[in-house]
Structure formats: structure tokens, C-alpha cells
Amino acid sequence: GCVLVVSVVEQLAQWHNSTVKAAVERLCNYIPGKYQIMCHMSRCIDKEMNADVVCHSLKLCKQDPGQPLCHLYAPPKVSWFSTFSKAADCGRSFKLEKSFMGFSSICAFPLLDNLCEKIKYVIRNKLPFEDFDGDKFSTFPTLRGYHWRGRDCDDKNTTVYPGRRPDNWDVKSDSNCNGIWGVDPKDGIPYEEKFCKGADSQGVVLLGDSAGAHFHIPPEWMMVTQMSAKSFANLPMAFSDELDWPQFSEFTGFLNSTIGGWTDSLYLRLRRRNRCNHRDLQNISQNGGSSGNLLYLIKSLARNQLLDNPAIVIYATIGNDVCNGDRDTLAHMTTPKEMLSNVVQALRYLDSHLPNGSHVILTGLVDGRFLWDNLHDRYHPLGQLNRDITYSQLYTFLDCLQVSPCSGWLTPNETLRNLTSERALQLSNVLKEIARSEKFANFDIFYMDFPLRQTAEEWHKMGGEPWQLIEPVDGFHPSQIAAALGTSITWQKALHEWPHVLGKENPFNNQIEAIFKDQGGH
């Protein structure tokens, strides 16, 4: 984080032909309110001090005994030691030492600690921070609110929430938040009964990782040629959503994308198929999600077997069972035996919580060799101004810091990349065998490969390049384009192979929308 901020300051000074001090002030003016604290660490830069030097000197980066000194840029012309000493003196003169030195994370910065406490709460509990009735749904968008789960329509009533079966056909109020309630004055039949009875209403639940949560760092945060205050307008929202954008994601997206590409999701397609499914979505994903920690994450599922509609559950931990930042990465990968145990435990939990008639789709792991093959020699957004940082350099830097999202795939070591893909295939085969052999009382179960090859082929037909399917800043996650194309491929597979999973088309959709339009509703 420090290296990123200092790099941006250096490039702002270069692009605007200004002093470093002026560049710091420019960046601080771009960044909203309390987040400005992050830009003041950049006051100690001169021509001999690149981002690596500043951040090591402020002790925001550290070097353990016996470990290599991690750096993104070329070493300074003079020795590391003398440059560090100069930067440390500067830090003391600006009283930065007291403000920054020794902080283990961005959450230790003044003014951000309160927000971080809220974020820690939702990360720990995976539940909305603002949920006054305790039904696991919220009227607040971020902090695990309705960007992640359907929006609550009465946060003072625990029996009102998205996804439940209607209470007395919602004659007097909207108990399931799908917007359909009241009685048709023409015939006295409740609208919910008239339009939704026997309509196979069902929700979408994703159990996943950062790809499913839709991790994204906006490239405009670090590309100085197009940087302005507008570039950082979404910073508070992104920070309080853990740098995830589930509202645009492949399975639960429901808003038009503001981060490039377009939004297409399983939820939106199910909603178009049956308007009664409105708001019935849950994105129960986390950055770093794997088959192991999903056993804890799954407990935040909001589904009542007796009162709620069935659901389509997507189980998609597509990489973290083989991805880690450890030096001996192979030793820390999930084994096939562990995968079998973890997934079966999760399925048993679902069987005890999902209403009868639900469906579970197990998604195989991705073949992450696609990342290195298509990015390693391209310039990262941070390196495009001076053509000085490739993805290969970024991967090496993160690996050195032992914070690489995937040491097994983001590496020049081809043998290691192949071994990682081999383990991923073994784990996918475990999922495939579970779908073939296991039976559960309340849902049927299916398997599908992660559709990377089909996505790349489809994008090529549209004139796109493979690298555009990868998030540009982290060089690891599926991009917005990949998410939207993946939805289309998944939907087509379901239509052809498991049509009953999607439910039937509601013949009253047009009437429902017409009534809403007449009443000025949405």
C-alpha cells in the first residue's frame, strides 16, 4: 500500500512537472476526507528516494532477518543504508515517525481506526453491520449490507426479509420484499397469489471467494494521466465493501457496472425469468475464501427451511485451495482428501438449512496458468507512464513480501505453475465425483468446470484480447468482462443440461411490470 501511494505521488510530480510537495497536495485534494491520511506518508521523497526507500524507512515495509529486501523498483544509485538513513531523518523532521512508524496495517492510521473496527466486525461475522431486526438483511448498502444480500424492506421486523414465502399472500404488507403485495381491486385476489403462486420462486446464494465477491481495485487510482478527484469518489464505498463489488458480480450482480464492462448475473437472469424472485440474493463470499474457511463462512447463510423459498446455491472457491503466499506453496495447498471432507461437511450443513427443492452447483477450480501466460510481459497500470513495471516484476515483489495471492501461478517457474494446475485439477475431480455420487434430502447437486476456456473463446469472437479478462491492478482476478461472459456461459449450460434448476418462465412478468409502472414504482 505504501509503495503504491508513494509511486503515485512520484508520477504525479513527473506528469504535472511539479515538486513532490505539490504532488502530495494534489493527491490529498483528490482523496476524500479522512482517507487523506494515507497520502501524507509521501512527504519524504527526493530524486534518490523511490517508493521502496521511503516505505522501508517509515517501517511500513519490513525486512525480517535472513530475508531478502523486497523492492518493486531498481535499487538506488547509492547504498540502501545511506538512503534509508536520509529518509528516516526526513520522517522525523515531518513528525511522520510518530504518525506512521511501526503501524502494521492501514487500520492503525488515525481517523481510519473506527471504520476499520466496523470492517473487522463484518469480516469476522460475515453479517451486515447495520441490521436492526437481526434477520441478516439490511437497508444499508456497504459493510455487508444490500450490496451483498437483497435489500430489507422493513428493518424493524424480523419476519420481513427477501426470500421468504409470502405471509397470507402479502395481502396487507410485503413480507418478502419483492414489491408484490396488496389485493387486485378488480377481482379481490391478492397480487402475490395471482402472479407468484406456483411460479417456482427461488433465490440465488453464492458461497465463494474474492472472485465471487468480485474483488477490484480501480486502475484510475494509480494512473496519473487520467487522475482527478472523480477517480477517488468511490474510495469510501470500496473500502467499506472490502474492495469487493458484489453488486456487479457474476452471480449476484444487480446494478449497472461502473467499473467497466457490463453487469450480467445469474440473479438478474432469474429475476427476468420470474419477477417474483426480486431481491432474493445472497453473496456469502470473502477474500481468501477456500473450502476450509467456507465452513465458518457458511454459517452466515440466511435461509429458513420452513418459511423460505428454495435457492440455487453456487459453491465456487475457484483458486484459494491451491493459492497461498507461502514460500513452500505446494505444502500449503489443500489435498484431495481435505477437499472431500470440507465440501461434504458444507453440503451437510446446507442440507440442514435449505428448503426442499433447492439446487447446488459445484464449480471447479480455474487453470491459473492463464494469468502468467497472458500478463507477465505486459506493463502494469503503475508502470505504464514510464514503462518500468511489468506484471512479472509485480508478482516477484508480492512473492518476496509473502503476500502474493498465488505463489504457485504468479511465478516465472513453469514447473511450479504446472504443478499448481495439476493440484487444481485433482481438486476439481473431487468436486465432480461428489456431484456424481452424493445424495441429499433437500437439494440435487451438479458440477460444472470453471468456464475460462469458453469465456476466452467468446471474448475472442467479440474482438477482445485475453488479458482483458483479468483484473488490471492485481493481475489475478476475473475482470468485469469475464464475469459477465461467464454468466452467459453458465446460463446456457443450465438451460441445456439442467433446465429444471432455473424454474419456469413466469407468464405474468409483463403484467407485474406494467402495474409497477402505473404506480410509479421500480
Side-chain angles (χ1 to χ4, degrees):
C2 177
V3 169
L4 165 63
V5 173
V6 176
S7 298
V8 168
V9 168
E10 290 177 326
Q11 292 186 21
L12 275 172
Q14 176 187 345
W15 181 250
H16 293 282
N17 195 24
S18 71
T19 63
V20 167
K21 182 179 179 182
V24 170
E25 294 308 316
R26 184 185 296 274
L27 180 60
C28 288
N29 288 333
Y30 289 163
I31 294 177
K34 58 189 174 186
Y35 298 87
Q36 292 180 0
I37 193 72
M38 294 185 288
C39 68
H40 288 294
M41 70 178 73
S42 309
R43 294 182 180 274
C44 290
I45 310 170
D46 69 14
K47 292 178 182 178
E48 294 178 350
M49 297 182 192
N50 63 28
D52 297 315
V53 172
V54 173
C55 296
H56 276 284
S57 302
L58 293 177
K59 298 183 181 177
L60 289 169
C61 299
K62 65 178 183 176
Q63 179 188 13
D64 290 334
Q67 296 296 326
L69 192 146
C70 304
H71 57 94
L72 184 60
Y73 295 90
K77 294 175 184 176
V78 295
S79 73
W80 282 111
F81 178 78
S82 63
T83 316
F84 282 174
S85 299
K86 186 175 180 181
D89 291 341
C90 172
R92 284 188 287 273
S93 69
F94 275 109
K95 299 183 180 178
L96 292 176
E97 184 171 359
K98 185 177 179 182
S99 299
F100 296 110
M101 283 190 171
F103 285 151
S104 59
S105 74
I106 197 172
C107 286
F109 291 160
L111 304 180
L112 291 183
D113 52 352
N114 183 45
L115 177 58
C116 280
E117 283 305 312
K118 294 180 181 179
I119 292 173
K120 286 175 185 175
Y121 171 87
V122 298
I123 288 176
R124 186 168 59 247
N125 297 285
K126 306 300 182 294
L127 293 170
F129 184 77
E130 292 195 8
D131 175 18
F132 298 108
D133 58 12
D135 59 9
K136 301 184 180 179
F137 295 90
S138 176
T139 58
F140 190 74
T142 61
L143 294 170
R144 293 275 166 170
Y146 69 76
H147 282 172
W148 299 81
R149 300 165 184 253
R151 184 172 182 168
D152 203 342
C153 53
D154 185 349
D155 207 19
K156 296 178 182 178
N157 188 338
T158 190
T159 66
V160 174
Y161 53 86
R164 68 159 293 167
R165 294 190 179 104
D167 179 20
N168 191 29
W169 293 115
D170 285 358
V171 170
K172 295 183 178 180
S173 63
D174 188 6
S175 67
N176 55 19
C177 302
N178 68 359
I180 302 169
W181 64 282
V183 176
D184 189 340
K186 296 175 184 176
D187 53 23
I189 300 175
Y191 286 119
E192 181 87 43
E193 181 180 6
K194 176 179 285 191
F195 296 143
C196 301
K197 184 178 182 179
D200 293 343
S201 298
Q202 58 185 340
V204 177
V205 178
L206 173 65
L207 300 173
D209 50 23
S210 51
H214 206 36
F215 186 88
H216 167 80
I217 299 175
E220 58 268 26
W221 288 1
M222 58 191 67
M223 297 182 72
V224 299
T225 56
Q226 48 190 277
M227 189 176 289
S228 67
K230 187 178 178 182
S231 305
F232 293 95
N234 54 16
L235 178 63
M237 180 187 72
F239 197 65
S240 52
D241 264 338
E242 305 157 49
L243 293 178
D244 295 321
W245 307 70
Q247 68 272 33
F248 308 140
S249 64
E250 178 176 353
F251 295 107
T252 64
F254 62 94
L255 294 177
N256 291 331
S257 172
T258 60
I259 56 174
W262 64 97
T263 302
D264 188 6
S265 71
L266 181 60
Y267 162 73
L268 282 177
R269 289 186 176 231
L270 281 173
R271 185 188 180 281
R272 282 197 296 270
R273 193 171 181 83
N274 179 6
R275 176 60 180 72
C276 302
N277 292 329
H278 183 55
R279 291 192 185 178
D280 195 356
L281 63 99
Q282 296 181 56
N283 191 316
I284 304 177
S285 302
Q286 70 174 16
N287 299 335
S290 66
S291 67
N293 55 38
L294 210 62
L295 294 174
Y296 173 76
L297 183 66
I298 200 173
K299 294 177 182 177
S300 66
L301 171 70
R303 216 65 178 179
N304 185 303
Q305 263 186 328
L306 299 178
L307 297 178
D308 297 349
N309 286 319
I312 301 174
V313 178
I314 313 295
Y315 185 104
T317 56
I318 65 170
N320 290 316
D321 283 284
V322 297
C323 284
N324 57 71
D326 294 294
R327 294 248 187 264
D328 52 345
T329 181
L330 291 171
H332 288 82
M333 293 178 184
T334 302
T335 65
K337 184 177 179 181
E338 291 168 337
M339 189 75 169
L340 176 63
S341 173
N342 291 339
V343 177
V344 169
Q345 283 184 69
L347 293 173
R348 287 173 180 162
Y349 183 90
L350 289 175
D351 201 30
S352 66
H353 287 76
L354 290 177
N356 190 262
S358 294
H359 314 281
V360 174
I361 300 173
L362 303 178
T363 304
L365 279 71
V366 69
D367 185 349
R369 289 176 292 193
F370 185 88
L371 302 168
W372 179 270
D373 291 347
N374 290 289
L375 283 184
H376 74 277
D377 56 354
R378 295 189 61 82
Y379 289 108
H380 185 267
L382 206 57
Q384 288 180 12
L385 180 65
N386 297 310
R387 303 177 74 81
D388 58 350
I389 301 174
T390 62
Y391 283 94
S392 176
Q393 288 170 260
L394 175 72
Y395 295 156
T396 301
F397 176 56
L398 295 177
D399 196 46
C400 178
L401 291 171
Q402 297 182 53
V403 295
S404 171
C406 197
S407 295
W409 276 324
L410 308 183
T411 172
N413 185 332
E414 184 180 7
T415 301
L416 184 54
R417 297 199 303 272
N418 290 338
L419 287 171
T420 304
S421 288
E422 185 179 310
R423 175 62 61 85
L425 180 60
Q426 291 171 357
L427 300 185
S428 294
N429 286 335
V430 170
L431 295 172
K432 194 180 296 186
E433 178 58 24
I434 290 172
R436 188 192 68 79
S437 61
E438 296 286 340
K439 297 290 183 286
F440 296 90
N442 289 307
F443 57 82
D444 47 14
I445 185 168
F446 307 92
Y447 170 84
M448 68 173 289
D449 289 320
F450 185 85
L452 179 60
R453 180 182 55 80
Q454 301 98 309
T455 301
E457 289 172 356
E458 195 64 33
W459 184 232
H460 179 71
K461 290 177 191 174
M462 297 169 68
E465 297 288 338
W467 57 268
Q468 294 169 312
L469 299 174
I470 307 168
E471 273 294 315
V473 173
D474 60 66
F476 180 62
H477 293 93
S479 69
Q480 184 67 34
I481 295 169
L485 290 174
T487 296
S488 176
I489 293 164
T490 300
W491 185 263
Q492 292 304 316
K493 180 179 178 65
L495 276 179
H496 288 109
E497 297 185 23
W498 335 302
H500 72 285
V501 170
L502 304 178
K504 56 195 175 192
E505 192 130 9
N506 191 329
F508 299 108
N509 283 336
N510 291 336
Q511 286 179 253
I512 296 171
E513 294 297 347
I515 291 173
F516 266 86
K517 189 175 180 181
D518 289 344
Q519 296 178 350
H522 301 283

